[in-house]
Amino acid sequence: MLDLTTIKAITLDLDDTLWPIWPAIERAERALENWLSRHAPMAAALFANPAARHEIREHVVLTRPELKYNLSAIRREAIRLALYRSQEDPLLAEPAFDVFFDERNRVTLFEDAFLALEFLSSRFPLVAVSNGNADIHRIGIGRYFRASISAQQFGVGKPDPRIFHAAAGAAEVQPSQVLHVGDDATLDVLGALNCGMQTVWINRSDHLWAHPAVPHETVTTLTELCDLFPR
Ligand SMILES: [Mg+2]
């Protein structure tokens, strides 16, 4: 059960909480492939091989551990490595990444997301907390948020308590006054519980809860999340 009386701010996960992420990533990867096939066909051919693509990404992850929380940089460096290995111009990594990133931010929000953001932001300061590289301003939802904290800019990601503390700080409240909402049991719910926040787990796909610590509430939609609060 939530204690509504202590909630002074809401922190919100983005990917798979406000929109499904995989359709956007798949579209973005296709857009990148199309762009490469026109501007760097040898690199496009290399990327068309799933094993080679996987190996290139792993190579970047292993050799550049400092990029662990920076998905954009990992993506950009993987493109650069593919260009280099296929003897195409590595400088194309920047425009190629931009093609990917534009499409990655062209997400389709869950149908109740705008109403939920409207409702929640009229009652509480909202802070976005994401391990991904979504840009709330490009997506067109920046106006609902007091702040947005990404692992990429902050340097560590969920479930590290530091990013939750930073999110509470951005709303100028204590973690105990925050409700964190997200779809990921470990990153969102356990991370926020560990930091003393109240939590709502968004479980759209009927997953089983498999941890001893439990969320304060579980909902299946953002509308249900709003229904937890008096109108
Ligand atoms: Mg998520």
Side-chain angles (χ1 to χ4, degrees), residues 162-185:
R162 286 173 288 177
I163 195 167
F164 289 103
H165 279 282
E172 297 177 43
V173 299
Q174 297 300 315
S176 61
Q177 299 172 308
V178 171
L179 168 63
H180 180 72
V181 178
D183 69 289
D184 192 293

Side-chain angles (χ1 to χ4, degrees), residues 13-17 158 182-184 188:
D13 173 52
L14 297 176
D15 293 329
D16 285 332
T17 290
K158 299 177 286 187
D183 69 289
D184 192 293
D188 289 305

Side-chain angles (χ1 to χ4, degrees), residues 40-153:
M42 304 289 280
L46 183 58
F47 260 144
N49 176 342
R53 200 167 60 221
H54 180 75
E55 192 276 323
I56 285 172
R57 189 181 175 90
E58 284 302 291
H59 184 85
V60 172
V61 168
L62 289 173
T63 56
R64 303 287 303 275
E66 77 279 11
L67 301 181
K68 182 174 174 195
Y69 290 110
N70 192 336
L71 295 181
S72 292
I74 290 172
R75 176 78 60 174
R76 199 183 289 109
E77 292 314 306
I79 296 169
R80 200 186 314 281
L81 184 58
L83 288 162
Y84 177 78
R85 284 191 183 171
S86 55
Q87 301 184 339
E88 301 272 13
D89 181 0
L91 290 177
L92 292 176
E94 298 293 335
F97 174 77
D98 290 345
V99 168
F100 173 88
F101 196 61
D102 270 351
E103 203 61 42
R104 184 261 183 264
N105 279 300
R106 209 162 287 147
V107 294
T108 305
L109 275 73
F110 290 116
E111 59 179 2
D112 54 357
F114 276 106
L115 270 179
L117 287 170
E118 199 80 61
F119 176 83
L120 297 171
S121 66
S122 70
R123 283 160 177 76
F124 302 98
L126 301 185
V127 176
V129 187
S130 177
N131 283 9
N133 51 5
D135 180 331
I136 56 170
H137 300 288
R138 280 201 198 207
I139 289 167
I141 54 171
R143 65 185 180 280
Y144 298 114
F145 290 89
R146 168 77 59 94
S148 172
I149 299 185
S150 71
Q152 170 163 324
Q153 285 160 350

